[in-house]
C-alpha cells in the first residue's frame, strides 16, 4: 500500500517595517506589556505558520487585560499594527483569515481602538494614487465585506459602511483607470487577461457594496441629485454602461456590468413602478424622453440608442437577476416586464448564433423561468396566468426554443434547455392551479408530441424524464404500453444507452412510488411485469452484442431500485435454463441467469455464502454448465460471478474454489486472445480478494487468540478458511 506524504502547509512570511512597528518596539521592551511583545516577536519570525500561531494568542491576551487597559497608548499601537498587518498580507495568505478572525473577536472594551485603527488604515488604502496598487486595495475591500459579518458592529464591515461614499469614489477612479489602460494595451494578451480580472473584481465589489449596505447608500440619496453620493453613483453608472458596450472586453465582464446597471438603477430609483417602467422601456428600446429622468439620460444615454444584441441580452439578464420577483413586490409593472423580457430573449435567440452568446442566452432563459415561477407563486393577476399557461403563445415559443436546442453541441446549452423544459411544466402547473376540470389538455398534447418523435432524438429522453415527474409513469404507459420495450430496443447503440437508461430509471422509480401509493398488495407483480420481464426476454433472445449496454446501464439501476427483482429473475430463468441454454448468437436462459447473477453480486445485492437465502436456489450444476458453455460470453459471466464481489474482503468459499478449479480444467486451452485477457483479468480479481480477505481473517484469528473464543466472530473459523486458502492455492 502506498502511503501518501502529508501535504505541507506553506504560508508566506509577513514582513512589516513601518513607523507603527518602530513605535510598537518601545512598548515591547516593557516586560509588563505582553501583547506588544507578542506582536513584535511575531513580526520577527521567518516562518508563516509560526506567525499564525502567534496571532491566535492575541484574543486570549486581550480578554485577560486588566480593567482600564482600553484606550491606552500601548493598546492603540497594537491595534494599529494588527490593522496594518491585515491590509498588508496577501488575499490568498491563510494569515489573512487568522487576522480577520482575531479582529472579529476583539473584546468589547477594545473594540473602539480596533475600529479606529482599521478605519485609519482603510482611509489610507483608498487614498492611494499608484494605479499598480489598485487591485490590492480592491481585494482588501472585498475581504472586509467577506470576512466580517454585517449583523454586528465589527471592525471590517463597519469601517467600510462608514466610509462608503469615499469607497465608491475610489471605485469610480479605479474603473476609469482600468478602462483607459485597457485601450492602451490592446493586443497584449497577457496584460489584457490580468486587467480583465482586475476590472471584473472592481465591478463585483461595486455591486457587493450596494447589496450588503443598502441603507447607508440610500440614506444620503434621499437628498436627491444634489447629494455628493448621487453624483458618485451616476459616475459608476456611466462606467458600467461603457463596460457593457465595450466589445474589447470579455463577455463575462459585460454581463456583470449589465447586472450592475440594473442594481444601481434599483437603488437610485427606489420606486417599483418607476423602476419597472424604465427597465421595460430600456429593453424594448422605446424610451420616451419625457418619462426619463435627466440624470438617467446623462448617465445611460448610450443605452437608449440601438443596443447591440449582446448588450441587450446582458441587460435582460441583469433585470432577471437583480430585481425582486418573489412575493409580487414589483406589482403589475413587474408582470408586464416579465412577459416583455421573454419576448426580447426569444427574438435574440433567432439572431445570436455564436456559442458564447448562445450559452449566456440559455442561462438567461433558465433564469427567466425561475423568475416566472416565483411570480406565479405569489398573488399575481389573472392576465399573467393566462399569458403563461401551456397553451399561451409565450410558452409555446419557449417550447420551440427547447426543441431547437436540446441537441445543441454545447453540453451546458443542452443542460439549460432541459432545465427550461422542466420549469415550463412548473410554470404551467402554477398558472392553471385552482382551475377545476378533467384531463390537462396541454400535458396530454405534450406527451403525445414527445412520444411521436423518433427515439433517436437524444433531447426526447431528458424531456420525457421531466414529464414523468409531472404526470407520472402510469399516464405514459396508458398512452403507449410499449414504451419500456421501445427504449430497450435503442440501448444497443452506446451513444443512446446512457440517455435511455436515465429515462428508464426515472420511469420505473416513479412507477414504483405510484403503485406503492395505491396500497394494493400485488403491486409488485405489475411492476415486475412492466420493467423486469422485457429485460429477461432480451437477455435470453437478443444477440449478445445487442444486450451489452442493457446489462451495463439498465440492469444495475433496476436492481438498485428493487433488489427483490433478483429473485424474480432467478425464478423465471432457472426453470428454463436447462432447455434454453443459448447458441452462438444469444445467451439463452442460462446465459441470462449468469449475467444477472454476476451483475447483482458485483453491485452488492448477493453473496456466495451459506448465510444468504439465494444459496442453493441456483444449483452448482447450473453454474458448472455456464463455466463450460460453448458461448464465450456465458463462460466469462459465470467466472465473473465467482471472482467479482462488491466487497473486496469477502472470503472465497470452498464451493467457489472448487468451481474455479472445475473451470480451469476445461478452459486453459482457450484460443481467443480477447477471452483469455478477460479470464486473466477476472482471476486477478479473485487473487486480490484472497489477499485482502486473508489479512482480515488473520486479524480475526489474532483477536480470537487474544480475547478468547467468546469474543470472536462466529460466522467463520479463520483458521479453517486460511488453511483452505493454502491448500487450494497450492
Amino acid at each position: 500500500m502506498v502511503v501518501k506524504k502529508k501535504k505541507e502547509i506553506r504560508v508566506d512570511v509577513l514582513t512589516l517595517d513601518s513607523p507603527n512597528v518602530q513605535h510598537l518596539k518601545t512598548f515591547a521592551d516593557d516586560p509588563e506589556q505582553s501583547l506588544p511583545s507578542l506582536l513584535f516577536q511575531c513580526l520577527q519570525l521567518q516562518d508563516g505558520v509560526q506567525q499564525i500561531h502567534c496571532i491566535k494568542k492575541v484574543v486570549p491576551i486581550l480578554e485577560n487585560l486588566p480593567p482600564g487597559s482600553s484606550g491606552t497608548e500601548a493598546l492603540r499601537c497594537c491595534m494599529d499594527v494588527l490593522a496594518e498587518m491585515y491590509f498588508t498580507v496577501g488575499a490568498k495568505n491563510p494569515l489573512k483569515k487568522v487576522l480577520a478572525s482575531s479582529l472579529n473577536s476583539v473584546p468589547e472594551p477594545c473594540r473602539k481602538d480596533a475600529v479606529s485603527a482599521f478605519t485609519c488604515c482603510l482611509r489610507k488604502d483608498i487614498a492611494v494614487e499608484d494605479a499598480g496598487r489598485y487591485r490590492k486595495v480592491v481585494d482588501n475591500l472585498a475581504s472586509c465585506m467577506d470576512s466580517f459579518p454585517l449583523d454586528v458592529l465589527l471592525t471590517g464591515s463597519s469601517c467600510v459602511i462608514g466610509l462608503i461614499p469615499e469607497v465608491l469614489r475610489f471605485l469610480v477612479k479605479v474603473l476609469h483607470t482600468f478602462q483607459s489602460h485597457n485601450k492602451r494595451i490592446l493586443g497584449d494578451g497577457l496584460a489584457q487577461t490580468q486587467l480583465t480580472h482586475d476590472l471584473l473584481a472592481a465591478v463585483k465589489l461595486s455591486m457587493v457594496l450596494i447589496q450588503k449596505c443598502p441603507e447607508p447608500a440610500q440614506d444620503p440619496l434621499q437628498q436627491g441629485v444634489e447629494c455628493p453620493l448621487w453624483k458618485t453613483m451616476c459616475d459608476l453608472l456611466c462606467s458600467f454602461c461603457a463596460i457593457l458596450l465595450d466589445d474589447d472586453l470579455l463577455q463575462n465582464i459585460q454581463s456583470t456590468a449589465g447586472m450592475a446597471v440594473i442594481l444601481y438603477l434599483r437603488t437610485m430609483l427606489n420606486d417599483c413602478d418607476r423602476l419597472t417602467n424604465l427597465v421595460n422601456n430600456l429593453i424594448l428600446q422605446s424610451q420616451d424622453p419625457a418619462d426619463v429622468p435627466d440624470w438617467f439620460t446623462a448617465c445611460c444615454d448610450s443605452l437608449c440608442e440601438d443596443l447591440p444584441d449582446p448588450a441587450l441580452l446582458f441587460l435582460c439578464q441583469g433585470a432577471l437577476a437583480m430585481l425582486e420577483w418573489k412575493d409580487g413586490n414589483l406589482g403589475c409593472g413587474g408582470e408586464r416586464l416579465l412577459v416583455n423580457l421573454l419576448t426580447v430573449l426569444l427574438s435574440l435567440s433567432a439572431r445570436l448564433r455564436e456559442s458564447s452568446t448562445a450559452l449566456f442566452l440559455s442561462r438567461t432563459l433558465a433564469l427567466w423561468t425561475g423568475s416566472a415561477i416565483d411570480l406565479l407563486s405569489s398573488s399575481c393577476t389573472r392576465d399573467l396566468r393566462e399569458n403563461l399557461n401551456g397553451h399561451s403563445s409565450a410558452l409555446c415559443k419557449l417550447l420551440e426554443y427547447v426543441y431547437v436546442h436540446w441537441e445543441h453541441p454545447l453540453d451546458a446549452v443542452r443542460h439549460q434547455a432541459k432545465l427550461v423544459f422542466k420549469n415550463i411544466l412548473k410554470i404551467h402547473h402554477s398558472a392553471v392551479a385552482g382551475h377545476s376540470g378533467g384531463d390537462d389538455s396541454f400535458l396530454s398534447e405534450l406527451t403525445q408530441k414527445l412520444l411521436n418523435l423518433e427515439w433517436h432524438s437524444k433531447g426526447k429522453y431528458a424531456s420525457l424524464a421531466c414529464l414523468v415527474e409531472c404526470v407520472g409513469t402510469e399516464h405514459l404507459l396508458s398512452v403507449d404500453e410499449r414504451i419500456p420495450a421501445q427504449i430497450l430496443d435503442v440501448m444497443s447503440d452506446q451513444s443512446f444507452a446512457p440517455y435511455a437508461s436515465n429515462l428508464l430509471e426515472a420511469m420505473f422509480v416513479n412507477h414504483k412510488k405510484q403503485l406503492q401509493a395505491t396500497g394494493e398488495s400485488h403491486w409488485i407483480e405489475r411492476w415486475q411485469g412492466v420493467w423486469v420481464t422485457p429485460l429477461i426476454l432480451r437477455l435470453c433472445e437478443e444477440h449478445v452484442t445487442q444486450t451489452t449496454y442493457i446489462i451495463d446501464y439498465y440492469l444495475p439501476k433496476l436492481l438498485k431500485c428493487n433488489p427483490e427483482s433478483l429473485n424474480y429473475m432467478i425464478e423465471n430463468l432457472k426453470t428454463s435454463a436447462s432447455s434454453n441454454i443459448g447458441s452462438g448468437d444469444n445467451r439463452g436462459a442460462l446465459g441470462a441467469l449468469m449475467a444477472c447473477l454476476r451483475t447483482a453480486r458485483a453491485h452488492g445485492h448477493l453473496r456466495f455464502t451459506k448465510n444468504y437465502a439465494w444459496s442453493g436456489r441456483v444449483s452448482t450444476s447450473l453454474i458448472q454448465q455456464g463455466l463450460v458453455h460453448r458461448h464465450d460470453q456465458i463462460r466469462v459471466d459465470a467466472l465473473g460471478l465467482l471472482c467479482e464481489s462488491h466487497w473486496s474482503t469477502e472470503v472465497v468459499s470452498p464451493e467457489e474454489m472448487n468451481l474455479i478449479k472445475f473451470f480451469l480444467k476445461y478452459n486453459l486451452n482457450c484460443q481467443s486472445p480477447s477471452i483469455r485477457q478477460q479470464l486473466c483479468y477476472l482471476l486477478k480479481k479473485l487473487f486480490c480478494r484472497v489477499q485482502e480477505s486473508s489479512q482480515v481473517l488473520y486479524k480475526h484469528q489474532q483477536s480470537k487468540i487474544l480475547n478468547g473464543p467468546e469474543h470472536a466472530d462466529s460466522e467463520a473459523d479463520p483458521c479453517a478458511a486460511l488453511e483452505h486458502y493454502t491448500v487450494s492455492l497450492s
Side-chain angles (χ1 to χ4, degrees), residues 14 16 18 20-21 24 35 38-39 42-43 51 54-59 62 74-89 95-96 98-104 106-107 110 113-114 117-118 121 148 155:
L14 171 61
L16 194 62
S18 66
N20 285 332
V21 177
L24 180 71
L35 183 57
L38 176 69
L39 289 177
C42 176
L43 291 170
Q51 287 184 321
C54 275
I55 297 300
K56 287 182 177 179
K57 298 176 184 177
V58 168
V59 173
L62 289 173
L75 183 60
R76 285 199 299 269
C77 182
C78 290
M79 291 303 166
D80 288 340
V81 171
L82 277 172
E84 191 174 357
M85 290 172 71
Y86 180 81
F87 281 95
T88 303
V89 73
L95 183 57
K96 198 173 192 80
V98 178
L99 283 163
S101 177
S102 298
L103 289 164
N104 214 23
V106 169
C110 309
D113 294 323
F118 210 92
C121 283
F148 300 93
T155 311

Side-chain angles (χ1 to χ4, degrees), residues 216-420:
Q218 281 186 345
D219 289 344
L221 292 181
Q222 305 304 321
Q223 304 171 24
V225 294
E226 302 300 326
C227 171
L229 182 59
W230 188 281
K231 184 179 184 309
T232 302
M233 295 186 73
C234 286
D235 291 339
L236 284 169
L237 254 181
C238 289
S239 295
F240 298 148
C241 292
I243 293 171
L244 178 63
L245 297 171
D246 191 347
D247 291 334
D248 294 326
L249 295 172
L250 292 179
Q251 290 183 337
N252 193 24
I253 300 179
Q254 291 180 286
S255 70
T256 308
M259 289 189 282
V261 167
I262 302 298
L263 175 63
Y264 272 65
L265 288 177
R266 187 185 81 183
T267 305
M268 296 170 75
L269 283 170
N270 199 24
D271 182 322
C272 287
D273 291 336
R274 293 177 63 198
L275 175 63
T276 53
N277 186 54
L278 186 63
V279 176
N280 206 18
N281 292 333
L282 194 59
I283 64 163
L284 293 175
Q285 294 289 277
S286 60
Q287 293 288 0
D288 184 356
D291 295 335
V292 178
D294 293 338
W295 61 266
F296 177 81
T297 305
C299 298
C300 308
D301 185 52
S302 56
L303 301 184
C304 301
E305 303 169 1
D306 290 335
L307 275 177
D309 286 343
L312 183 57
L313 170 61
F314 300 141
L315 276 178
C316 292
Q317 181 190 29
L320 291 166
M322 292 293 113
L323 299 182
E324 286 290 337
W325 297 98
K326 289 184 178 180
D327 303 325
N329 291 330
L330 296 176
C332 294
E335 295 183 2
R336 185 173 66 254
L337 175 59
L338 185 74
V339 175
N340 288 336
L341 279 168
L342 180 59
T343 303
V344 172
L345 289 171
L346 291 174
S347 67
L348 288 173
S349 70
R351 303 197 296 268
L352 294 173
R353 299 297 184 184
E354 189 182 348
S355 295
S356 58
T357 49
L359 179 56
F360 273 106
L361 179 63
S362 67
R363 289 173 178 167
T364 307
L365 281 170
L367 195 60
W368 181 90
T369 58
S371 300
I373 292 170
D374 288 338
L375 200 52
L376 286 167
S377 301
S378 59
S379 54
C380 61
T381 63
R382 182 177 178 181
D383 287 343
L384 182 67
R385 295 185 184 279
E386 290 179 354
N387 284 330
L388 294 183
N389 68 58
H391 291 295
S392 65
S393 61
L395 251 62
C396 288
K397 291 176 182 176
L398 194 55
L399 270 174
E400 288 300 323
Y401 171 85
V402 173
Y403 298 148
V404 170
H405 291 84
W406 64 9
E407 291 191 36
H408 195 275
L410 287 178
D411 287 345
V413 174
R414 294 199 301 272
H415 174 75
Q416 297 298 336
K418 175 185 174 182
L419 180 58
V420 168

Side-chain angles (χ1 to χ4, degrees), residues 560-581:
K560 182 181 178 181
C561 175
N562 189 42
E564 297 301 320
S565 297
L566 180 61
N567 294 329
Y568 180 83
M569 296 174 192
I570 292 173
E571 291 299 323
N572 279 270
L573 290 171
K574 75 174 185 178
T575 53
S576 56
S578 300
S579 57
N580 184 9
I581 59 173

